[in-house]
Amino acid sequence: MDHSGHGMDMNMDLPPFTLARGLEWSADPFFLIGCLLGLALYAWGVLRLRRRGDSWPVGRMVFWTVGVLTIALVMCTKLNDYGMVMFSAHMVQHMVISMLSPILLLLGAPVTLALRALPTAPRGHKGPREVLLMLLHSRYMKIVTHPAFTIPLFIASLYGLYFTPLFDFLMESKTGHIAMMVHFLAVGLVFFWPIMGVDPGPHRPGYVMRMLELFAGMPFHAFFGIALMMASEPMISTYKNPPASLGIDALADQQAGGGIAWAFSEIPSVLVLIALVFQWYATEKRHARRTDRAADRDGDKELQAYNAYLASLNTRGQ
């Protein structure tokens, strides 16, 4: 189905939206190829590790696969067609691809898999693995993963897009619509990566700071949804005149979209907090094991020194 034209092709003549109709297959070629490529490359990496006798956690494979499938769910079904003419359907796409898909993909640890699976280039040469390492340690990556960049970008992707003519401009062409969805996914990835990503990154603060970063960005999604719900007229030109075949009111549809944005902001917060708690626990467990091993090696000199210190205090007090 062609999405060209005003983003709302009046010849689409879609019937009223139902969940069953929204989930019918209607693949966008760009995202279909991207999803298949993502699954294939990840599978290649896992198989390469297993052939040489290395393991890769099943949980990470599940997270990556489900993450890719969530992108396919909103971009390779009729939900994508309805999203061109219904603001509420578009907002479901936006919330999933910017706040759910990135979290699942990051928990799949694709960068770690690539670093382990890609062959090391001969001395004096640079292969894909070396280029990836250079990128991870580059100044550019330090900037784009810093909260001073990611939080404003996360907020601007809402207010700077929907409340300016930029959204209508992008929705005028299929290319613009694809670029916008890729942007949503990329923003979600760079926002959540430093907070709960498994992969190594240049900006990796402590767990308390990560929680603060999360809560610094999330309320703006809720405020955005409330602003849409409270509006007395349609605010986005693209959706002001929905096709008569849908049988919807533009303002009511906008308010529904605002409700989706408001409610959905809680979902990633809960998922990320759960992931952070598990990561924090795993880190503490690893630290405890290292401490125990060190104590076994040196006969627990640290504990002996501490006991000697307590004894000296006791002697001094007598």
Side-chain angles (χ1 to χ4, degrees):
M1 189 173 292
D2 186 14
H3 297 151
S4 59
H6 174 16
M8 296 196 307
D9 184 355
M10 294 306 176
N11 296 320
M12 290 175 86
D13 199 30
L14 288 167
F17 180 83
T18 64
L19 185 59
R21 286 171 182 157
L23 295 179
E24 287 176 13
W25 182 255
S26 179
D28 180 290
F30 177 87
F31 281 96
L32 178 61
I33 292 169
C35 288
L36 291 174
L37 201 58
L39 292 173
L41 287 173
Y42 196 92
W44 172 83
V46 173
L47 287 172
R48 186 174 169 82
L49 288 185
R50 290 194 168 167
R51 281 199 192 108
R52 69 180 189 217
D54 292 338
S55 61
W56 185 253
V58 174
R60 290 182 181 179
M61 288 187 274
V62 172
F63 280 125
W64 177 263
T65 303
V66 176
V68 172
L69 291 178
T70 59
I71 297 172
L73 177 71
V74 295
M75 297 308 304
C76 294
T77 63
K78 285 279 182 68
L79 190 63
N80 190 36
D81 298 327
Y82 279 100
M84 302 300 288
V85 292
M86 285 180 66
F87 182 71
S88 55
H90 167 82
M91 195 49 61
V92 170
Q93 288 182 281
H94 178 169
M95 293 296 111
V96 169
I97 209 168
S98 70
M99 298 177 76
L100 180 59
S101 304
I103 292 170
L104 295 168
L105 293 176
L106 289 167
L107 289 172
V111 176
T112 302
L113 177 61
L115 290 173
R116 289 184 60 188
L118 288 169
T120 304
R123 187 182 293 274
H125 294 78
K126 287 179 184 174
R129 187 178 186 277
E130 288 68 30
V131 172
L132 180 58
L133 279 170
M134 282 175 57
L135 180 63
L136 283 174
H137 296 294
S138 67
R139 183 177 295 177
Y140 165 79
M141 197 59 73
K142 287 179 183 176
I143 293 171
V144 299
T145 59
H146 196 277
F149 179 85
T150 59
I151 294 172
L153 179 67
F154 193 67
I155 297 165
S157 290
L158 282 175
Y159 297 89
L161 184 66
Y162 287 97
F163 296 158
T164 68
L166 181 58
F167 182 84
D168 296 319
F169 170 74
L170 291 171
M171 289 292 284
E172 286 176 359
S173 69
K174 190 171 184 179
T175 304
H177 182 243
I178 289 171
M180 179 167 53
M181 289 299 173
V182 170
H183 170 76
F184 289 152
L185 179 61
V187 168
L189 288 169
V190 297
F191 178 75
F192 289 112
W193 180 18
I195 296 173
M196 45 63 64
V198 181
D199 292 318
H203 175 73
R204 192 50 59 91
Y207 286 98
V208 174
M209 280 303 298
R210 294 190 205 184
M211 291 181 184
L212 291 176
E213 284 182 34
L214 173 68
F215 291 122
M218 286 299 108
F220 290 94
H221 258 271
F223 297 151
F224 169 74
I226 291 168
L228 291 169
M229 291 166 70
M230 293 180 67
S232 57
E233 61 180 12
M235 300 173 68
I236 300 159
S237 298
T238 299
Y239 298 105
K240 275 186 177 176
N241 301 297
S245 62
L246 290 174
I248 60 170
D249 173 70
L251 181 59
D253 184 53
Q254 177 179 287
Q255 290 168 344
I260 290 165
W262 171 73
F264 210 98
S265 63
E266 300 301 320
I267 297 173
S269 300
V270 172
L271 289 176
V272 171
L273 281 175
I274 292 170
L276 278 176
V277 168
F278 273 98
Q279 289 172 13
W280 199 344
Y281 172 73
T283 301
E284 291 297 317
K285 207 172 172 183
R286 283 195 299 271
H287 178 70
R289 279 203 297 266
R290 280 197 298 269
T291 305
D292 290 344
R293 283 197 295 268
D296 290 340
R297 284 194 301 271
D298 61 18
D300 216 346
K301 288 179 183 176
E302 189 177 333
L303 181 61
Q304 291 172 18
Y306 182 65
N307 287 335
Y309 170 69
L310 290 178
S312 70
L313 289 178
N314 190 39
T315 304
R316 202 177 303 164
Q318 290 175 349

